[in-house]
Amino acid sequence: MAEGQPSAVPEPAYADSLFNPINLILFSLLGLIIWYQLRPRAAITKPAHAGPIVFRTFTPRTLLPYNGRGSASSSANNKDTSTDGGDQASIYMGIRGTVFDVTPGKQFYGPMGPYANFAGRDASRGLALGSFDEDMLTKDLDGPLDDLRDLGPDEVDALNGWEERFREKYLVVGRLVAEGALEGGAG
């Protein structure tokens, strides 16, 4: 080699190695990502109940006592609901015609919870719009159920998400129909 030419700087020994600092960081990140994906997760289990729950048909008026306040909240207009084996201290909530037993989530749906307005009621519109206001609840318990036709695509997606979450987490105990549907279907 010529003396006038500068000598090439030798590369570090780890540059050609698989275990250089950059690769070690990348391998660590890859391992962490794989661990997060494959780690054991707690299984979602539906709550166990003390006794059998009979699947039944509710109207807005017969669903109303299942608001977690017990039998003291039963009104004189309410039909006798004690014959179904249900406990009126239970908390039921309707979503798009399906009634869920949300009693295990009483800290959310019970009398002091943030969703207490929805207990014993059809919560479809309120959940779809993300509103907990009394205005979201059907005022006329003897009238038709809310058909939700005026909801936009985003609200329908939100409602679908809530309904899916409820189906995973809570027991379905019945269906919700309009007040006249029971008499009309029986005759």
Side-chain angles (χ1 to χ4, degrees):
M1 301 233 158
E3 288 182 5
Q5 291 182 347
S7 63
V9 178
E11 292 187 26
Y14 63 79
D16 292 334
S17 170
L18 185 62
F19 300 106
N20 63 39
I22 299 280
N23 284 346
L24 289 175
I25 291 171
L26 291 174
F27 284 138
S28 298
L29 287 174
L30 179 66
L32 188 63
I33 290 170
I34 290 172
W35 179 79
Y36 272 120
Q37 293 298 318
L38 299 179
R39 73 174 188 253
R41 293 184 179 102
I44 297 175
T45 58
K46 292 191 178 184
H49 284 274
I53 293 180
V54 177
F55 186 90
R56 63 180 279 221
T57 301
F58 291 91
T59 64
R61 190 163 300 283
T62 60
L63 181 62
L64 191 58
Y66 292 91
N67 58 13
R69 290 179 173 88
S71 60
S73 69
S74 298
S75 66
N77 295 335
N78 187 27
K79 296 176 184 174
D80 181 21
T81 55
S82 61
T83 59
D84 69 350
D87 175 13
Q88 289 186 355
S90 296
I91 305 169
Y92 291 177
M93 191 166 101
I95 299 177
R96 224 183 342 204
T98 303
V99 178
F100 295 93
D101 181 357
V102 296
T103 307
K106 63 184 166 198
Q107 68 273 20
F108 300 109
Y109 307 104
M112 300 304 290
Y115 302 98
N117 285 351
F118 298 150
R121 303 294 290 267
D122 180 7
S124 303
R125 180 165 296 277
L127 293 175
L129 297 176
S131 174
F132 311 125
D133 295 338
E134 286 280 333
D135 298 345
M136 297 294 114
L137 301 173
T138 306
K139 301 287 186 246
D140 182 12
L141 298 180
D142 297 322
L145 296 180
D146 189 351
D147 62 10
L148 307 170
R149 289 185 190 180
D150 60 333
L151 296 180
D154 290 340
E155 286 109 7
V156 171
D157 286 344
L159 184 56
N160 288 340
W162 278 103
E163 187 174 16
E164 182 179 322
R165 199 166 310 129
F166 274 68
R167 286 191 185 280
E168 290 173 356
K169 199 170 181 180
Y170 300 113
L171 294 173
V172 174
V173 294
R175 66 186 178 114
L176 183 63
V177 299
E179 191 69 37
L182 285 180
E183 290 82 25

